[in-house]
Amino acid sequence: MSTSKKHTSQDLLEENESTLLPNKKQKLDTTLVDNNNDSLPSNTISSKLEESKIPDENVEQEIKEIIPDILNKNYIDPDFVTRFYSAFKKNQSFTDEISQAIIYNLPFPIALLPNIFDNEFLSNVKDEVKELDFDNKSNDLYEFHQSSDLKICEKPHLSKLRDTIYSDVFVSTMSNLVGFDLDYTPDLSVHKYEKGNYLLCHDDDIKDDAFMHGRIIAFIIYLVDEDWSKEDGGALELFNINSQSHPDEISLSITPKWNTIAFFALSPTSYHQVSEVISSTKIRYSISGWFHGPLNTRLSRAEFIAPVPEVFDLKDFISPVYLNEKNKQRILKKLQKDSYILLSKFLRDDVFDKLITSIKETGWEEKPIGPPFIRKYHLLKDSEIDNFKDNNNNNNNIKDYKDSSSSSFCKYVYDFFKSKSFAIFINEISNWQITAVAREFRQFQPGNYTLIHDQGQDRIGADVTLFCIEGEWNEKWGGGTHYVADEHELLAIYPEKNMLSIVIRDAGTLRFVKYVNSHAAFPKTEMSFIYWDDDDDKGEEEGDEEVEDIEGGVEDIEGGVEDIEGGVEDIEGVEDIEGIEDIEEEVEKIEEIEEGEG
C-alpha cells in the first residue's frame, strides 16, 4: 500500500495555492457574512486590514536602498504602495494603468501584479524549474507534483529568485501593500500540475495555537506558458460563502498568467481551489508559498436529519450464498481478522438489474451537496424520495415494485438497507451491535469528491457501501474510497458492479472518496451507510447528532458520509471471502444440498 498524508489537524501544510499537505487544523468562522454589504464583521479580512498597521509617510524609507535588479520597480513606488494599500484595506476594486496591477474585492480581496519580475530572468527560472525533481502529492484534497523547499535549492536563477522573495525589500513591500507585519521566513516551493491534476476547496487558514501565529498571506507566482488559456484549466477559483460562513458558489475564476504574482490575505472564509488541468500539452508550473503573522480562526459543525426505516425479507434481496449460516460465519471470521470484506454479486441478479434500470429513471439534485471544503457530490432528489414515501403506503411486496416501470424501485432497495432486518444481518456477520444507521444515496460525477476535514468527520462504525454501477470502473478515473491512518494508506476500494463493501472502523482512521476526474465514462453511484452502536460511542458528546433507535428512526447526515473519525486496523489488501469460491458455483452447491435434503 502507498502512503498518504492525512488532511487533519495534526499535519502542517507544506504547499500553497494553493497546494496543501495539511498540518494544522482548518477552522471555520461561524460569523454571518453578507458579501453584498460594505459593513463586514470584525473578524473578516477587511477588519483585519483595518486593525493592521497603516503605512506612514515615511514608507519610502522603509524600503531598503538595495533593490533587487529583477524586481519590477513600479511595485515599490511609494505612490503606488499607498494607493494599493488603501484599496486593499477598504476591500475596494483597484486597477493601476501603468503596471496593470489589479485588486478584485469579491468574494474576498485578491491582487494580481503582472510582470512582477524581469521577463528574461524568469524564463531562465522556468528552465531550471523543469530540471527539478518533483514528488507526486496525492490525497483527498489534491493531485499534483511538488519540489523540495527552495531554501535548499542551489540552481543560480532559482536561488536568486528565492533570495529576492526573502529580501527586506520584497517583504517590506508586501507588508506595506497589505498592511500586515510579515515575517521574513516565507514558505516557498515549486508546484507542477499536469493533465488531470487539481487542488480542491480549502482556506489555507493555518495557525499555531500555542504561539498565536500562522499564515497571513498566500501567494502564487505563475510560470505557465504565455499562451495559457481558460480552456487549459488550472484556474484559481474563489468561493462565495453562505449564511453559515461555508463556501458556496465559485464567484471568481482567475486564469494563470505568465510572470504574474497573485496573493490574498487568509481568513476562515478565504476558500479557493485550483481547477483540474485539462491541457494534455501544457504544464501548469508555479512557485508559491505563504508569509506568516498573527491569525485567528474558529470552528463550526455540520447538521443532521433523520429518516424512517422499513422492515423487509432478506431472501427477496440478498444472494442466497450470503444467507447460508456457514458462509455467515466465514464472513464474520474475515471481518474479525481484517476489519473489512468485499462481497461480490451481493444482490440477487434480478434485483440488481431492476435497480440499475430504476436508477437510470431517477432524478439527482442539480446542485452538488457541500460545503466544497468537505464534500462535493450529488444526492437523490428530495422530491423523488417524497414521491416514494407517498406511493409506498407500507407495501413491502417486492413483486409490486419489480413489475413497476417507475423509478421507485431504487428507493425501495435503498430503504431495505436501512431496515431493522438488514441491521440484524450486519450484526450476524460482524458482531456489531447495530442501533442506528446514517445513509446516503449519492452519485459522484466528474469533479466530485469528499475530503478529510475536522468539521466533516463521521462517527466510528461499520461502513457499508453498495456500488450501483453497471460497467467496469477504471482506477485511473479516481473515485476510490481510501482509508488512511498515521499518514499511511490502509485500504483503497474501487467500485465494482453489485459489490458490497464492509469496513469496520475504530478510532484513528479517516476515509475519503478520491476526486473523480474528467476521464470517467460514467458516474460512480452508490448507497452509502454507517452502522453504529451507541454503547460503543459514549465518549462522544451528546447533542451534536440526533440518533434514533433503529425501530423509530434512522439518521441521515446532511451533506455527506465521508471524512471519518475512526479506523481500520492491520489491513494488508483486498481479498475474497475466506472459504467462499465463485458465487454462482456456491449457489449451485447450496441448491444441490437443499434438493438432497428434500
Side-chain angles (χ1 to χ4, degrees), residues 44 69 326 346:
T44 61
D69 58 355
K326 289 184 178 180
F346 182 74

Side-chain angles (χ1 to χ4, degrees), residues 139-141 200 372-377 440 442 444 448-452 480-481 511-515 526 559-563:
N139 66 9
D140 60 312
L141 188 63
L200 304 178
F373 70 100
I374 293 177
R375 60 184 71 89
K376 183 181 180 182
Y377 50 82
E440 279 191 325
R442 59 193 191 179
F444 290 83
N448 290 178
Y449 55 85
T450 70
L451 299 176
I452 297 173
T481 302
R511 73 168 179 174
F512 64 90
V513 176
K514 187 76 170 178
Y515 176 89
E526 64 185 29
V561 179
E562 76 287 333
D563 309 335

Side-chain angles (χ1 to χ4, degrees), residues 519-575:
H519 298 290
F522 50 85
K524 175 193 178 187
T525 303
E526 64 185 29
M527 298 183 189
S528 179
F529 308 87
I530 304 175
Y531 297 87
W532 67 76
D533 177 8
D534 285 339
D535 291 338
D536 290 338
D537 209 17
K538 296 187 183 301
E540 297 192 17
E541 294 183 6
E542 295 294 332
D544 286 336
E545 304 141 28
E546 297 178 1
V547 181
E548 300 183 16
D549 184 82
I550 194 72
E551 297 185 30
V554 184
E555 182 177 332
D556 183 17
I557 301 177
E558 179 182 346
V561 179
E562 76 287 333
D563 309 335
I564 294 168
E565 187 178 17
V568 183
E569 300 180 354
D570 301 327
I571 297 179
E572 298 178 355
V574 179
E575 302 174 2

Side-chain angles (χ1 to χ4, degrees), residues 587-598:
V587 171
E588 292 176 358
K589 292 178 183 179
I590 294 173
E591 291 176 348
E592 292 175 358
I593 294 174
E594 291 175 345
E595 291 176 359
E597 292 176 349

Side-chain angles (χ1 to χ4, degrees), residues 6 335-341 432 452 457-463 482-491 493 502-512 530-532 536-537 540 562-571:
K6 292 192 297 180
L335 284 172
Q336 289 176 333
K337 176 179 179 288
D338 293 332
S339 296
Y340 78 97
I341 196 167
W432 194 262
I452 297 173
Q457 295 180 4
D458 297 321
R459 287 181 173 225
I460 62 173
D463 299 336
H482 297 257
Y483 288 82
V484 295
D486 297 328
E487 303 186 3
H488 293 280
E489 180 176 278
L490 304 177
L491 175 67
I493 299 175
I502 304 175
V503 180
I504 308 298
R505 290 178 292 102
D506 296 323
T509 293
L510 306 171
R511 73 168 179 174
F512 64 90
I530 304 175
Y531 297 87
W532 67 76
D536 290 338
D537 209 17
E540 297 192 17
E562 76 287 333
D563 309 335
I564 294 168
E565 187 178 17
V568 183
E569 300 180 354
D570 301 327
I571 297 179

